[in-house]
Amino acid sequence: MTPIDRFERQLPMALTDLAVPQTPDYLTDILGQTARTRQRPAWASIERWLPMELVSKRATVARMPWRQLGVLALIALLLAAALAVFVGSQQRRLPPPFGRAANGSILYTMDGDIYAADPRTGASRAIVTGPERDEEPVYSRDGTRLLFGRTSSATPQRLLFVANADGSGIVQVTPEPLPGISSWSFSPDGRSIVAFASGDQGPIIVVIPSDGKTAPKAFPVFASSADGGDGPPMYRPDGSEIMFIGKDPGQLVRGVYALNATTGTVRTLVAPSTTNLDIHGASWSPDGKYVAYGVSNQGPEAVAPKTHVVGVDGSGDVVVDTEPVHVADFGFDWANDSTRLIITRWYTADGSNSRDAIVPIDRSSAGVEIACPPGAQGDDCTASWTFSPDDSMLLGSLGHADGTTAQFLGDPQTGQIRAAPWSGSGQPIWQRLAP
């Protein structure tokens, strides 16, 4: 017999024993003990004296987590602010249109193309090239764009173009050639270009939108003697007026005038002389407070050219240079801090012995003479100089009889100069960057 067979035979008897009701032997003792024990008082049962709503479990009620939502909103605002700061830091900061700025690249031309040079390393590269002849590039006041003239075999008359600072995105801004266009520059905000041109009745000032989408606007000025030879038309630093040199009909000599490009009205900045002292050049100071201008003799009297500075309201007119030996001077290139001018001193009446100098407009000293550049002819030690955007350096150029141009860097504190580590032609232009 297997164990399974044995289990099957005993299973019915086991189930019968389990089904029979049985009473434990100690039941009588338990009933006797409970009969002798008193019932627990009501106060001992907490559920008897506490309200049922306090001892029973409440159903959970859903509430809006305002505090958590407020914290999350604050975090979102902080993240958005941080993102805005980061994005802003990635965008290029722009310098103010006037005053000191950081030094950027230097523009110059060579063989009809436009180059940009790094003044620290001397490395240069062509940024505008092609079969056309591109010349006289200038930077916008914020350093983001450049303006230049272009001629070609198909268009021998000059057209103006605007490009990004790296030479990309070239846009033609003069829809057709403007006869005699010369001496161009940007407005302080970069939206316009101002230049001289030739009109039917004489010289005109043209204001050209720099986006190339709108036609130039011409302003006839005085019928004679207003042209680039007397200095370019120049926007006032606040952009409200354009300065030019001109001879009002009926006057013997020229004066300094300001054209309002919105209304077309002209006002006098420096009145023409009642004698034969003719004005031959002028410029605004970068801070807009002064006008530098030069006068020269147009008659038989022996009056040599001198550079003056006058307030824009006509007050405080002074002859700037205090150096006692020189016989004449002229120059209108300002330092960006509006405290100094670069002038040329003549030590002989014919200009054969001449030097460039940096002079303070407050006449506090005789200034600093700039060293004679290599390649100068005899005792004529002059060149074309401008200040770097931060006023720490000078940038100069000197044209030679063979058509080549030497370029230099100089120290405005000592007057010492050195050859620039690049070569090109034309007047080099320094780019302004955010400090």
Side-chain angles (χ1 to χ4, degrees):
M1 179 180 294
T2 65
I4 295 176
D5 295 335
R6 187 181 298 112
F7 175 75
E8 290 179 347
R9 291 181 60 186
Q10 295 177 353
L11 180 60
M13 292 185 292
L15 293 176
T16 301
D17 292 340
L18 290 174
V20 175
Q22 298 181 8
T23 301
D25 297 338
Y26 50 83
L27 177 61
T28 302
D29 296 335
I30 292 176
L31 292 175
Q33 185 176 354
T34 58
R36 294 190 300 269
T37 304
R38 297 181 58 185
Q39 186 176 356
R40 186 175 59 174
W43 59 264
S45 300
I46 190 169
E47 66 271 12
R48 294 288 186 91
W49 58 271
L50 288 177
M52 289 303 295
E53 61 268 17
L54 296 181
V55 297
S56 62
K57 184 178 180 181
R58 289 188 176 185
T60 302
V61 179
R63 295 183 178 180
M64 292 296 293
W66 295 113
R67 180 176 296 176
Q68 292 87 338
L69 290 177
V71 172
L72 290 175
L74 179 60
I75 293 173
L77 288 174
L78 292 175
L79 290 174
L83 179 62
V85 171
F86 174 78
V87 172
S89 66
Q90 303 307 301
Q91 296 176 348
R92 179 178 174 183
R93 294 170 53 239
L94 301 179
F98 292 91
R100 286 180 172 173
N103 300 335
S105 299
I106 293 174
L107 282 183
Y108 65 93
T109 57
M110 185 168 62
D111 299 328
D113 295 329
I114 299 175
Y115 288 74
D118 185 332
R120 297 165 299 179
T121 65
S124 63
R125 61 187 180 90
I127 60 173
V128 179
T129 61
E132 304 88 357
R133 183 170 186 81
D134 301 317
E135 54 192 354
E136 298 182 39
V138 296
Y139 276 116
S140 60
R141 299 298 305 178
D142 63 6
T144 62
R145 292 182 294 171
L146 58 93
L147 165 67
F148 60 93
R150 170 175 286 179
T151 57
S152 65
S153 57
T155 310
Q157 287 187 304
R158 189 179 288 154
L159 295 169
L160 295 186
F161 291 79
V162 168
N164 296 324
D166 61 1
S168 65
I170 297 176
V171 175
Q172 182 176 327
V173 296
T174 48
E176 57 185 24
L178 295 172
I181 191 167
S182 64
S183 304
W184 46 78
S185 65
F186 279 99
S187 63
D189 62 8
R191 296 179 181 179
S192 301
I193 297 160
V194 62
F196 278 126
S198 300
D200 295 337
Q201 304 299 319
I204 59 174
I205 289 176
V206 289
V207 176
I208 307 165
S210 61
D211 59 6
K213 298 178 180 179
T214 309
K217 189 174 182 179
F219 295 92
V221 289
F222 303 130
S224 63
S225 302
D227 57 43
D230 302 308
M234 181 184 299
Y235 269 99
R236 190 172 182 171
D238 64 6
S240 62
E241 298 175 304
I242 300 170
M243 176 193 293
F244 67 96
I245 309 298
K247 187 166 73 173
D248 197 348
Q251 297 292 331
L252 296 175
V253 291
R254 293 170 293 182
V256 184
Y257 300 93
L259 166 71
N260 186 311
T262 301
T263 64
T265 58
V266 174
R267 71 180 183 94
T268 301
L269 285 174
V270 181
S273 171
T274 56
T275 63
N276 291 320
L277 294 179
D278 185 52
I279 293 176
H280 58 261
S283 62
W284 302 102
S285 64
D287 61 8
K289 296 180 179 179
Y290 305 100
V291 173
Y293 69 96
V295 295
S296 58
N297 178 36
Q298 297 296 306
E301 308 91 54
V303 179
K306 294 288 183 179
T307 300
H308 291 239
V309 169
V310 63
V312 292
D313 60 357
S315 64
D317 194 317
V318 296
V319 175
V320 173
D321 197 10
T322 62
E323 203 282 329
V325 178
H326 78 287
V327 298
D329 61 73
F330 67 94
F332 322 104
D333 289 301
W334 287 89
N336 293 283
D337 64 4
S338 300
T339 64
R340 294 164 291 171
L341 282 171
I342 300 175
I343 65 170
T344 295
R345 289 170 174 160
W346 290 358
Y347 290 94
T348 55
D350 62 0
S352 60
N353 186 343
S354 54
R355 299 288 188 277
D356 295 320
I358 303 167
V359 296
I361 66 169
D362 64 2
R363 296 167 51 89
S364 59
S365 72
V368 176
E369 285 201 345
I370 302 172
C372 194
Q377 300 297 313
D379 290 329
D380 180 5
C381 290
T382 61
S384 178
W385 295 100
T386 60
F387 280 92
S388 64
D390 67 357
D391 285 343
S392 68
M393 302 174 69
L394 299 173
L395 177 62
S397 63
L398 176 63
H400 298 313
D402 61 0
T404 61
T405 302
Q407 299 186 8
F408 306 95
L409 295 172
D411 185 338
Q413 302 301 320
T414 65
Q416 297 303 304
I417 66 174
R418 57 186 173 89
W422 62 83
S423 59
S425 59
Q427 173 63 37
I429 303 294
W430 217 315
Q431 180 189 28
R432 295 168 58 86
L433 298 178

